[in-house]
Amino acid sequence: MSEPAPRRWSVQEFFAWQERQDERYELVGGVPVRMMAGARNVHDDIVVNLVAEFRTWLRGTPCRPFTGDGSVETLPGQIRRPDLGVDCGSRDPNGLTAAEPRLVAEVLSPSTRDFDAFDKLEEYKTVASLAVVLLVEPNAPEIALWRRDADGAWQRRLVAGLDQTIDLPELGMSLALTDIYDGIAFPARPRLVSGG
């Protein structure tokens, strides 16, 4: 006999349950999925650098950065937690999801690289308010920049090198890779963002 399919949780049930947990979860297909714990220092350093840059640039605007404790509803009933996001909507201080996410960034890791770069990316592309997705390589100064064009189609561009800058007119700012990778020593490891 096969086991019955698990009951699909609502977003409200998920968040009520999540508040009582010690670890972070995403809601995927109506089922809570535990997120990877124990990111390497390089991952955390890049996230901190991103938060600092976005907070500095966006101060005084209606947009605010949020961390992996915040969330984005990518599909109806599907909750994702990007490493960093920018919410340009009216934020409810007691809310649990971004009101109007404009940008999300994922710092890739060996265990989640393929999922983040393919499956999760496709979910992010369905969010109407999102204009930019950044997939950040931790082992070299390389970022896959996905941007929605004027026709609504997503275009990919690889930005590589510490001398490069990512212009984000959607937010009235730009990001220098030298700032994103400040303090990062690149190991002799394979890159997780492919150059092709």
Side-chain angles (χ1 to χ4, degrees), residues 84-102:
L84 173 123
V86 173
D87 187 359
C88 293
S90 178
R91 283 176 60 86
D92 173 359
N94 296 312
L96 298 167
T97 59
E100 190 180 318
R102 188 71 44 84

Side-chain angles (χ1 to χ4, degrees), residues 19-96:
E19 287 180 350
R20 299 186 307 273
Q21 307 309 307
D22 293 332
E23 297 173 328
R24 289 186 303 149
Y25 288 78
E26 293 181 322
L27 183 63
V28 182
V31 178
V33 175
R34 188 170 58 86
M35 296 188 66
M36 179 185 80
R40 295 180 306 152
N41 286 343
V42 67
H43 183 281
D44 194 52
D45 290 344
I46 292 169
V47 171
V48 168
N49 288 345
L50 285 167
V51 170
E53 287 300 305
F54 278 98
R55 184 65 190 126
T56 298
W57 277 95
L58 297 174
R59 184 170 276 121
T61 75
C63 299
R64 308 181 51 87
F66 63 91
T67 66
D69 285 329
S71 62
V72 174
E73 188 168 0
T74 56
L75 302 168
Q78 189 114 318
I79 299 297
R80 295 294 185 186
R81 298 183 187 276
D83 289 316
L84 173 123
V86 173
D87 187 359
C88 293
S90 178
R91 283 176 60 86
D92 173 359
N94 296 312
L96 298 167

